[in-house]
Amino acid sequence: MAGIAEKFTSLLARPSDETAPPDGAPWYLKYGVRVLGIVAAFFAMLFGLWNCLSIIFFSVGCLVSGVLQIFAGFIVMAVEAPFCCMFLEHAQVIARKADERPMWNRAALYCIIAIPPVIFCPGLGSIFGCGLIFATGVVYGMMSIGKKASLEEMRNNAQSQNSSGGITTSDKASIVNNAQPFSFTGAVGTDSNV
């Protein structure tokens, strides 16, 4: 079983993984988002082909959507799984350049290329296929933001802001000094006998 896991991680490993500095993302998130990207690319190409077949019903918008969806799926597959496109030199170049860029660039690319097919043909195939690509972009975006600080670091930061005259979190603090409490008794001057 360990041999299968090692072979799988070696397929998902990129040449730049050994030289890249650690970005703080856990290993399961790094490999999980790559698997999500590969699955998203596969379904985007599959449903893109389905949208292309809608030309039978004279739906040109869905044909354009299908072509864009197949193209988006190919880009995601080339970036996330260059071993699937090892017969294309350009795919290796695309994957290498994508690895050199910051993670938020990949997140923006995936989110942007997932939108036009849905606009051209807002069907279930477009929404599902491109939705997975968009979800991959969102996960990459969240990974680019980074890890949240520990509880102690957040407490120390909040205490240092309070002591330096910064933001206060006291319950007695008021935004407006002459604020009056709200009344829930009803409108003034109404007759209850009516």
Side-chain angles (χ1 to χ4, degrees):
M1 191 63 136
I4 295 172
E6 289 173 7
K7 185 167 272 291
F8 181 71
T9 55
S10 70
L11 282 175
L12 289 178
R14 295 182 176 136
S16 63
D17 280 350
E18 290 84 22
T19 61
D23 54 359
W27 66 270
Y28 55 86
L29 190 57
K30 286 181 184 179
Y31 290 123
V33 74
R34 299 225 21 228
V35 169
L36 177 64
I38 293 168
V39 170
F42 173 74
F43 279 114
M45 288 190 279
L46 181 72
F47 286 120
L49 182 63
W50 178 260
N51 282 347
C52 285
L53 292 177
S54 68
I55 195 64
I56 296 170
F57 303 113
F58 303 108
S59 177
V60 177
C62 286
L63 174 69
V64 172
S65 170
V67 170
L68 289 174
Q69 198 168 345
I70 290 171
F71 181 68
F74 177 75
I75 288 176
V76 173
M77 185 68 76
V79 170
E80 294 300 323
F83 62 88
C84 290
C85 306
M86 65 177 77
F87 53 89
L88 295 173
E89 288 182 30
H90 298 295
Q92 302 298 325
V93 172
I94 290 171
R96 197 174 314 113
K97 287 188 182 208
D99 286 340
E100 294 170 358
R101 306 292 300 169
M103 229 180 281
W104 69 267
N105 288 49
R106 189 176 307 174
L109 173 72
Y110 290 172
C111 290
I112 289 170
I113 64 174
I115 293 173
V118 176
I119 291 172
F120 281 113
C121 183
L124 192 59
S126 298
I127 291 172
F128 183 71
C130 291
L132 287 172
I133 292 176
F134 193 85
T136 305
V138 168
V139 173
Y140 269 119
M142 292 177 71
M143 284 174 56
S144 70
I145 290 173
K147 196 169 108 175
K148 188 173 98 169
S150 69
L151 182 61
E152 283 300 316
E153 290 176 39
M154 288 191 283
R155 279 188 184 150
N156 291 337
N157 191 16
Q159 288 175 352
S160 68
Q161 283 182 354
N162 282 343
S163 64
S164 66
I167 301 171
T168 179
T169 58
S170 171
D171 291 338
K172 297 180 182 180
S174 63
I175 296 173
V176 180
N177 291 335
N178 60 356
Q180 299 295 319
F182 290 107
S183 173
F184 297 106
T185 57
V188 177
T190 59
D191 190 14
S192 61
N193 295 332
V194 178

